[in-house]
């Protein structure tokens, strides 16, 4: 039997995006957005192999037209389905440098992948999420989840451009929550406060190498799924997640 | 078969405490603490009727000796069990008045029920929670959850004494999280940002009477259960919960 | 010519309180409150020697009666003067210990000197400050300034009781600002985020011993004076102060 | 006698920028940056008439080249002077609209005038400010002040793009403070939490029309001057300013 709802994840790769897609695919067909097909091909296969349904679409979320085209494609293929959850997990360029060595281009890259991408994505998915309010998805109200980081709430030295993008994302998330929450859409922002345990961070010495000193992407995915399941009488807007051994 | 773990809830009554006790009783035998037996008698019966196990102990958490006696009683009766989760849901006196009409006694009552009670409770339960770290409970790491409110992060006009108590509780929660988190105990603080839907608030006109405009205590309980289930690589320290229609 | 206004400083000693008293004494006669006369005797003399006017009163601000008596004494001696500014600089007991080694008495001491003292002091001085609104003091609107610390906004490990008192003070400060600001009284709270350069901290190695790595109490006093001078169209409620080399 | 130091204000017009320029011109020659000469011509004349020294330069701070050219011009004309203080008061486009009616262009305009402009401006002035550290200006350490707003800390409904720009500015301000503070440059960010009393807001009904219910731009300027004067042992990073009658 075909599901009447689907989920969409922007910014999939080897880490959080993949885990989130796999988690939501246990309940809904999932669309995976990434700039390049190689970021999602394996995950689509993995979901299919597990008996789920998935499609990948190559789209740069900082490109308004690309996002619109992606949504058109979804309508064509899955026009009978309504949107249950949208997750924005993309991120802009990350530069860790003394401020005077940064370029305006690095600031723009941070904006492109973070707030501009979220802006386009939100404008594309919110009409779908609103349309799902009257007959809500089986597992929870229509949900938009946005991934943030420590840099969303703290502008550290040498993180100027990265933090600027993340702060801006948080501003958008708050504004969306305050506008669309009362209309029945759950908008949540997460503060991932630690290093995520993914292939790229394998060699990082984090929290003295203690077990579970890096954040499990599967654990993040469980939390995102939980946010989707929250009852509308008790929505969480901002969720911090950090390893038990993390300094904060 | 007897469970090897139990949970304890301080501050049970007709609202959050009852729902939390019922929720945790689905997995663990539960101890209910309240100043007066009439606050827990019905809940103990309700848990038993549902096939769970519960005991109530009358104790004022602001009284160090009373808390110690309660723990002694638990050891005597359930000495074979270890502590999985402790929830502090008690609250001090609430006065909504112009500042110059408040009395020092009202400030003291706010402290008694909020930070002083939490202090005694935490000193009593933390050694038990630490003892559960090596062989953790089946559903999640040993957990201490502390109930906060809007007044935990905002000192509004005419809420001086209530906010003072709630801010102090939040300070303790942060300090405990930073000390005991790295030792494996999950300490979480919640911001209940809205009116809870309990008998006492039945007639309150909240959020224009919109459906689910008050927070369901059962939904709070689900969230507390979820906090207990979080993987130690991704603990949440502070969880905000508010109705979708709540201004914030 | 006798001044028509006076200032009052609670919590004077060798550090901030002394500097604040000296600074305000340049403009107003000053009352100094401290638990013991030896805390203010030298400062009173210093102010007199500099051509100012001061009186010391021994009073424990955590004792409601003692504060009331102090105010009675002021009325008797300086009944012709109105209150321009009140500064609460007292602090409760400070314990830096693992949580399980703390006693409830240490929590109570933190509350006594911090929020309870502020509560009594505010109830005593606010009627005087309100009375000064119609014909405001020459240098600025009637002002209540409350000293906070890093622990006012952060509950660090091993600072549980100290942070609880400081958080509670901040709650009171916010509540007072929101109630009395619209009535014309400027209520400000400061976050002193660093080690103050006083006799007691002489040997402390702070910020690698860099010059001005500790906060000058005279600089704090200049800031407090500045808060008093702010125009009522642009009040600051919370002022952070830290050395240029301080990590934050 | 020629002053050895100058100040620079980016974003001058009829409000805060003008008042800040006039205030700093009491102590230093001042450079005024604005997109269009008509924004500064009158102010330059006003400063000259008051016996001060000023020059205006037309430059869009969101244009890296334009900022660099402006600095070159300053070097040519005032190459003998060192920089005492730089104030960033420019702001991006302001749109108050339902999110789905906003365009990406409006987000980009908010970024252009706010974080991108600040980025260019900071990269241009920080080397000058650093050069002033060894022999500091007569009135205070070299200072960079950045104007923020309520939207810097709160993403309200219908303010998505404006808040995104302001949050990003705050991230940059924090990052700059943490990097350049320890090098001796005072970086401060202000939260202007209210309506400023300028020609454009003359007819606005604010705070029930109460006197001083709008923020006086001259009062803001006094506060900026005060920030410049702070001793380096006690820098303020974030200063909130609001009318005594403002809700917060």
């Amino acid at each position: 039997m075909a599901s009447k709802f689907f989920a969409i994840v922007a910014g999939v790769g080897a880490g959080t995006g993949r885990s989130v897609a796999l988690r939501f695919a246990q309940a809904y067909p999932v669309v995976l957005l990434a700039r390049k097909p190689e970021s999602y091909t394996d995950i689509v296969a993995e979901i299919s192999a597990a008996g789920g349904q998935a499609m990948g679409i190559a789209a740069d979320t900082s490109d308004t037209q690309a996002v619109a085209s992606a949504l058109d494609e979804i309508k064509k293929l899955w026009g009978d389905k309504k949107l249950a959850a949208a997750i924005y997990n993309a991120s802009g360029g990350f530069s860790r440098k003394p401020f005077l060595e940064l370029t305006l281009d690095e600031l723009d890259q941070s904006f492109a992948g973070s707030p501009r991408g979220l802006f386009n994505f939100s404008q594309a998915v919110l009409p779908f999420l609103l349309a799902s309010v009257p007959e809500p998805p089986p597992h929870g109200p229509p949900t938009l989840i946005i991934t943030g980081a420590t840099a969303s709430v703290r502008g550290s030295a040498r993180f100027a451009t990265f933090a600027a993008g993340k702060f801006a994302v948080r501003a958008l998330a708050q504004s969306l929550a305050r506008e669309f929450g009362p209309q029945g859409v759950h908008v949540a922002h997460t503060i991932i406060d630690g290093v995520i345990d993914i292939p790229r961070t394998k060699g990082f010495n984090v929290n003295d190498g203690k077990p579970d000193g890096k954040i499990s992407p599967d654990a993040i995915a469980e939390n995102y799924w939980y946010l989707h399941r929250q009852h509308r009488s008790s929505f969480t807007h901002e969720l911090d997640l950090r390893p038990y051994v993390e300094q904060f």
Side-chain angles (χ1 to χ4, degrees), chain A residues 135-156:
Chain A
E135 296 175 52
H139 301 285
T143 305
L144 171 60
I145 301 174
I146 299 154
T147 301
T150 317
S152 304
V153 288
R154 182 184 161 82
S156 296

Side-chain angles (χ1 to χ4, degrees), chain A residues 215-235:
Chain A
I215 305 178
S216 151
D218 288 349
I220 295 176
E222 278 304 323
N223 280 287
Y224 281 29
W225 179 249
Y226 185 70
L227 286 171
H228 174 51
R229 290 190 50 226
Q230 282 187 318
H231 187 252
R232 70 174 175 171
S233 87
S234 54
F235 279 164

Side-chain angles (χ1 to χ4, degrees), chain A residues 30-159:
Chain A
V30 175
V31 178
L32 290 75
L33 292 190
R35 256 166 289 196
K36 297 174 187 173
E38 54 261 44
S39 297
Y40 57 69
T41 315
D42 289 358
I43 309 173
V44 168
E46 208 173 344
I47 290 171
S48 300
Q53 196 181 349
M55 73 164 129
I57 301 176
D60 181 342
T61 51
S62 70
D63 176 346
T64 311
Q65 268 316 312
V67 175
S69 300
L71 270 288
D72 284 344
E73 197 173 332
I74 296 168
K75 265 185 259 187
K76 212 164 50 190
L77 294 171
W78 287 356
D80 58 323
K81 298 189 205 310
K82 301 176 86 173
L83 186 56
I87 291 98
Y88 190 76
N89 186 55
S91 194
F94 175 83
S95 304
R96 187 176 181 170
K97 284 185 193 172
F99 180 71
L100 295 174
E101 294 177 17
L102 288 164
T103 63
L104 186 61
D105 192 51
E106 286 170 303
L107 181 65
D108 287 342
Q109 283 173 36
S110 179
F111 286 149
S114 291
R116 292 178 97 248
L118 172 61
F119 184 91
N120 287 327
F121 182 73
S122 300
Q123 287 213 324
V125 300
L126 275 164
F128 286 82
L129 292 168
L130 287 169
S132 301
V133 170
E135 296 175 52
H139 301 285
T143 305
L144 171 60
I145 301 174
I146 299 154
T147 301
T150 317
S152 304
V153 288
R154 182 184 161 82
S156 296
R158 304 193 169 208
F159 283 81

